[in-house]
Amino acid sequence: MGILNVTPDSFSDGGKYTAVNTALEQVERMIDAGASIIDIGGESTRPGAVDVVLAEELQRTIPVIEAIKERFDIAVSIDTSKALVMKEAILAGADLVNDVRALQEEGCLEVVANSNVPVCLMHMQGQPRTMQSNPQYQDLLVDIMGFFEQRVAACQQVGIGKERILLDPGFGFGKTLEQNYRLLANLSQFKKLGFPLLSGTSRKSMIGNLLNREVNERLAGSLATAMLAVQQGASIIRVHDVQETVDTIKILQYTHQMQA
Ligand code: 9MG
């Protein structure tokens, strides 16, 4: 999954891809590099980010989705927590809803229930503006597992079938450095719930803070974490550096085939 942030304050591409044409060029590069899904977000969810108003988010994302679906044969995911953005994005051709708030905002469950697209339910403790201030868990894995069970039940109550659900532990969303690596080390545990897993660690602080690297120096760390996630059964890896990640995963998969 290649990341396309259409936000002026996007943390690692500096908001370069806000205009539709520039976005299309970036999408073409990600497709050529081997992406099979493009994740489009109009609201930054990085730690400290402020909320974006609905009209602005619609204006940033919908024309880009329409342009991508008109021009390329590629799956598009809408990264949003707003029901109306989900609805308009699906009408514009989005193939997946990626919600860092796991359909907890008003109207979201219903929008997805009334569509036929899958949804990625991500775990986040708190809200982006404050989530990194003092994240606390009774038991990290048990708490997140319980959250997933509760959100899956909410989905099923409105008619979103199991086959339409993906889960994501939400690296960097209300987790300390140690908690992030504990999650990564135990990612395979979430497979027990029986849903495909999505993992997003690309260029995040959990890499920068462990290695003491700036955002533009986190490629090696991003590839290492992508590899660890795939080894533990993650089905989708959300990344900025598509070509390098695809190469890394190809090496991993080829080596697996050679196992005696
Ligand atoms: C939007 N977004 C930013 N980070 C993310 C992550 O780790 N997972 C998902 N599903 N979405 C993310």
Side-chain angles (χ1 to χ4, degrees):
M1 173 186 273
I3 301 170
L4 182 70
N5 284 319
V6 285
T7 57
D9 64 338
S10 160
F11 79 107
S12 71
D13 62 21
K16 277 184 291 181
Y17 299 112
T18 20
V20 172
N21 283 344
T22 326
L24 288 175
E25 285 167 21
Q26 165 75 346
V27 168
E28 187 162 28
R29 275 196 292 277
M30 290 198 282
I31 294 172
D32 290 346
S36 32
I37 307 171
I38 306 296
D39 189 41
I40 299 166
E43 179 192 21
S44 176
T45 49
R46 73 190 162 110
V50 290
D51 290 347
V52 171
V53 294
L54 175 65
E56 176 102 37
E57 199 178 325
L58 284 168
Q59 203 179 28
R60 288 177 186 173
T61 54
I62 306 305
V64 175
I65 296 173
E66 286 169 347
I68 294 173
K69 293 308 283 190
E70 206 176 288
R71 178 128 165 224
F72 303 108
D73 182 18
I74 183 87
V76 164
S77 150
I78 178 69
D79 152 22
T80 188
S81 297
K82 295 190 180 74
L84 193 60
V85 178
M86 289 177 191
K87 188 173 173 184
E88 293 298 322
I90 293 166
L91 283 173
D95 305 273
L96 168 71
V97 169
N98 174 27
D99 186 3
V100 299
R101 294 180 180 83
L103 302 184
Q104 291 178 98
E105 296 295 306
E106 198 180 336
C108 291
L109 279 168
E110 291 72 20
V111 167
V112 174
N114 291 328
S115 76
N116 56 9
V117 301
V119 59
C120 176
L121 304 172
M122 199 199 77
H123 174 271
M124 167 165 64
Q125 186 180 92
Q127 290 294 322
R129 214 162 50 79
T130 52
M131 64 191 176
Q132 289 308 103
S133 60
N134 186 22
Q136 286 188 344
Y137 297 86
Q138 278 195 338
D139 181 311
L140 180 73
L141 295 177
V142 173
D143 290 3
I144 296 178
M145 214 69 94
F147 172 82
F148 284 147
E149 279 163 0
Q150 181 227 320
R151 295 314 300 156
V152 167
C155 284
Q156 291 186 318
Q157 246 166 36
V158 294
I160 303 170
K162 261 197 93 167
E163 69 292 344
R164 281 210 279 153
I165 297 175
L166 297 93
L167 301 178
D168 180 341
F171 291 103
F173 285 83
K175 283 118 192 156
T176 62
L177 184 70
E178 190 192 314
Q179 286 160 353
N180 279 311
Y181 281 94
R182 191 119 49 81
L183 265 187
L184 184 57
N186 294 286
L187 193 64
S188 63
Q189 303 256 1
F190 293 101
K191 292 294 290 175
K192 287 185 206 149
L193 295 173
F195 298 92
L197 297 181
L198 191 155
S199 171
T201 52
S202 181
R203 299 185 189 172
K204 285 190 178 170
S205 297
M206 63 180 278
I207 294 165
N209 292 346
L210 186 73
L211 304 176
N212 196 17
R213 298 280 182 245
E214 294 300 321
V215 166
N216 62 352
E217 301 171 324
R218 296 179 187 171
L219 177 60
S222 300
L223 297 177
T225 54
M227 185 142 161
L228 286 161
V230 174
Q231 275 180 319
Q232 291 185 77
S235 306
I236 301 178
I237 307 294
R238 183 178 181 276
V239 297
H240 300 88
D241 304 290
V242 174
Q243 186 177 307
E244 292 83 350
T245 311
V246 168
D247 283 355
T248 302
I249 294 170
K250 277 185 183 163
I251 298 280
L252 178 65
Q253 289 176 334
Y254 188 72
T255 310
H256 263 264
Q257 286 171 24
M258 295 300 141
Q259 253 171 358

